[in-house]
Amino acid sequence: MKTGVFIVDDHYMVIEGIRSLLQNEKDIEWLGHAMNVASCHAFLKQQLPDIILMDVNLPDLSGIELCKEVRQLFPSVFVLGLSTFNQRPVIQNMIDNGASGYILKNATKEELLDAIGTVMKGKSFLSFDAALSMKDPIDKAPLITRREKEILQLIAEGLTNAEIGEKLFISIPTVNTHRKSLLEKFGAKNTAALISKASKSGIL
Amino acid sequence: MKTGVFIVDDHYMVIEGIRSLLQNEKDIEWLGHAMNVASCHAFLKQQLPDIILMDVNLPDLSGIELCKEVRQLFPSVFVLGLSTFNQRPVIQNMIDNGASGYILKNATKEELLDAIGTVMKGKSFLSFDAALSMKDPIDKAPLITRREKEILQLIAEGLTNAEIGEKLFISIPTVNTHRKSLLEKFGAKNTAALISKASKSGIL
DNA sequence: AGAAAAATCATCTTTTTTAATGATTGTACA
DNA sequence: TGTACAATCATTAAAAAAGATGATTTTTCT
């Protein structure tokens, strides 16, 4: 019984790379690819793969949503995230939404096969170890609340506390409180460092 | 006479994808790949390719530097940048440093061959058209000076004007002047917006 | 060599952020 | 059902950034 593999990624060369890696594998059947959410939907109406390799950031921006949907509609279909580095928060988000793990785009053929095998056994595959062993510094994003995120985004847009307060119908001191907890949670000395770290960690 | 192609990219799957796309081309000889600047250097000591496909952001962070070096040391070697979207400023930087153009990682086989052919004729290949037709909003980065960039980075790290002045041996008003021209060039209302825009445009 | 751009410094005012403390009201969850 | 935690508001003060103007010295490029 072959494992049906489908891939969703907006980079043709990555699709081609994975296809090339998997094409001679006896246990794997290449079902095709989609380069956006819409065509992935279209495919799933026709046929269900065993596993979907899914880029964590698609042009539609809703890779996380897609993962959630797939897992809800078709619980038998496993999702394995495909990512580059410094996308830890996005990956976490994807796993929270039902992905069975993720694999880095610079993984070797062996790692890829290992990941597919592991996931098909119902286990999860995380290559955090590989990521951690890289020198690339991964700023892990702190957990922030809905309100804090909302305010963080407005700060990044350049609004002052007064403007944010007006927009959200809250007082300036309140905005300030959230701002301070953001600074603390991110370990940032000031707004500049805050926005910089938030950007790097993928929240913005 | 075959065209010798070498690739520098930190994503194994992209390397594999391009190899797979090019392997049956009669006019192209696959010379190998490097996943970082160091091993690219090592290769160039042994053999000179006709064209190097080079990822714009390598783990060493010095893709632009590498491009510059290669073009200076070996003017006969063409460099074609490999990029994803929203990296316009980085690409521009690479072209300013001698790259003959760039191609998106979601390009088709035809586009890739076209790009290689065009570059080998000594022309430049830019897939800006393709990029522009995408809905992905590209924040084009303003041209900033070396000094401004230096200060921008220190601001992003959370240093105050006084600290920056001390570090760079310049006065606080000077730091302020640069800061203001950064705000103006980026069209940002304040530091938060500045860092946010700079991050999005890939400068940080 | 000369023009343009970059980098430097200064003064002064206003606005905004940061810090330090304290307190109340919901609400989710064990 | 009580205990975190989130979200709200307040006061006061110090630090920092932003805005306005003007000027000099280097670099860089043509």
Side-chain angles (χ1 to χ4, degrees):
Chain A
M1 175 64 185
K2 284 190 175 188
T3 301
V5 175
F6 186 75
I7 178 171
V8 188
D9 195 306
D10 57 322
H11 295 129
Y12 181 64
M13 291 174 187
V14 172
I15 294 175
E16 185 58 32
I18 294 178
R19 198 181 64 76
S20 160
L21 287 175
L22 298 181
Q23 69 182 348
N24 290 322
E25 288 303 311
K26 300 281 172 290
D27 300 337
I28 286 177
E29 185 181 4
W30 180 263
L31 300 179
H33 70 263
M35 290 179 75
N36 51 58
V37 173
S39 75
C40 177
H41 276 308
F43 177 83
L44 293 177
K45 279 181 190 160
Q46 307 296 321
Q47 188 178 7
L48 284 189
D50 295 302
I51 187 169
I52 299 181
L53 305 181
M54 192 182 291
D55 193 6
V56 296
N57 42 355
L58 295 170
D60 319 49
L61 270 180
S62 45
I64 284 131
E65 276 304 310
L66 177 59
C67 179
K68 197 173 174 182
E69 273 174 47
V70 167
R71 295 291 299 161
Q72 276 173 353
L73 295 173
F74 318 107
S76 68
V77 177
F78 292 116
V79 173
L80 185 63
L82 277 174
S83 79
T84 55
F85 298 112
N86 70 352
Q87 297 186 316
R88 182 95 78 98
V90 193
I91 292 160
Q92 190 56 54
N93 209 331
M94 205 151 174
I95 288 167
D96 292 342
N97 281 289
S100 296
Y102 83 95
I103 188 162
L104 298 174
K105 284 192 184 173
N106 65 348
T108 61
K109 182 175 179 175
E110 285 67 37
E111 285 177 292
L112 178 59
L113 290 174
D114 186 16
I116 291 175
T118 304
V119 169
M120 285 310 294
K121 282 180 201 147
K123 297 187 203 163
S124 67
F125 185 95
L126 304 177
S127 48
F128 275 123
D129 300 337
L132 285 174
S133 71
M134 303 301 294
K135 65 176 175 213
D136 197 353
I138 295 179
D139 285 295
K140 63 159 172 276
L143 284 174
I144 62 175
T145 66
R146 260 198 312 281
R147 200 55 155 175
E148 282 164 354
K149 184 171 179 182
E150 201 170 0
I151 283 164
L152 176 61
Q153 284 164 341
L154 294 176
I155 292 172
E157 284 173 26
L159 303 201
T160 66
N161 287 346
E163 289 166 336
I164 294 171
E166 204 179 337
K167 190 153 200 166
L168 301 182
F169 306 108
I170 57 180
S171 75
I172 292 155
T174 302
V175 179
N176 228 338
T177 306
H178 290 304
R179 203 173 183 130
K180 281 184 296 190
S181 54
L182 281 168
L183 286 175
E184 200 184 341
K185 285 185 178 178
F186 275 90
K189 267 186 60 188
N190 53 31
T191 304
L194 170 66
I195 300 299
S196 172
K197 291 192 179 194
S199 285
K200 278 194 189 122
S201 68
I203 288 187
L204 282 178
Chain B
M1 175 64 186
K2 284 190 175 187
T3 301
V5 175
F6 187 74
I7 177 170
V8 188
D9 195 305
D10 57 322
H11 296 128
Y12 180 64
M13 290 175 186
V14 173
I15 295 174
E16 184 58 30
I18 293 178
R19 197 181 65 76
S20 160
L21 286 175
L22 298 182
Q23 68 182 350
N24 290 321
E25 288 303 310
K26 300 283 172 288
D27 301 337
I28 287 175
E29 186 180 4
W30 180 262
L31 300 179
H33 71 264
M35 291 179 73
N36 52 57
V37 172
S39 75
C40 178
H41 276 309
F43 177 83
L44 293 177
K45 279 182 189 159
Q46 306 297 320
Q47 188 178 5
L48 285 190
D50 296 301
I51 187 169
I52 299 181
L53 304 182
M54 192 183 290
D55 193 6
V56 295
N57 44 353
L58 295 169
D60 320 50
L61 268 179
S62 47
I64 283 131
E65 276 304 311
L66 178 58
C67 180
K68 195 173 174 180
E69 274 175 46
V70 167
R71 294 292 299 162
Q72 277 173 352
L73 295 172
F74 318 107
S76 68
V77 178
F78 292 114
V79 173
L80 185 64
L82 276 174
S83 79
T84 55
F85 298 112
N86 70 350
Q87 297 185 316
R88 182 96 78 99
V90 194
I91 292 160
Q92 190 55 54
N93 210 332
M94 205 152 173
I95 288 168
D96 292 342
N97 282 288
S100 297
Y102 82 96
I103 188 163
L104 298 174
K105 283 191 184 173
N106 66 348
T108 61
K109 182 175 179 178
E110 285 66 38
E111 286 178 292
L112 178 59
L113 290 174
D114 186 17
I116 292 175
T118 305
V119 169
M120 285 310 293
K121 282 180 201 147
K123 297 188 203 162
S124 66
F125 185 95
L126 304 177
S127 47
F128 274 122
D129 299 337
L132 285 175
S133 71
M134 304 300 295
K135 64 177 175 208
D136 199 352
I138 296 178
D139 284 296
K140 62 163 173 276
L143 284 174
I144 62 174
T145 67
R146 260 200 309 283
R147 200 54 154 177
E148 282 165 354
K149 184 172 180 182
E150 202 171 0
I151 284 164
L152 176 61
Q153 284 165 341
L154 294 176
I155 292 173
E157 283 174 27
L159 304 202
T160 66
N161 287 345
E163 289 166 336
I164 293 171
E166 204 178 337
K167 191 155 200 166
L168 301 183
F169 306 107
I170 57 180
S171 74
I172 292 154
T174 302
V175 179
N176 228 337
T177 306
H178 290 304
R179 200 171 186 131
K180 281 184 295 191
S181 55
L182 281 168
L183 287 174
E184 200 185 341
K185 284 185 178 178
F186 276 91
K189 266 187 61 187
N190 54 30
T191 304
L194 170 66
I195 301 299
S196 173
K197 291 193 177 195
S199 285
K200 280 197 187 119
S201 68
I203 288 188
L204 283 177

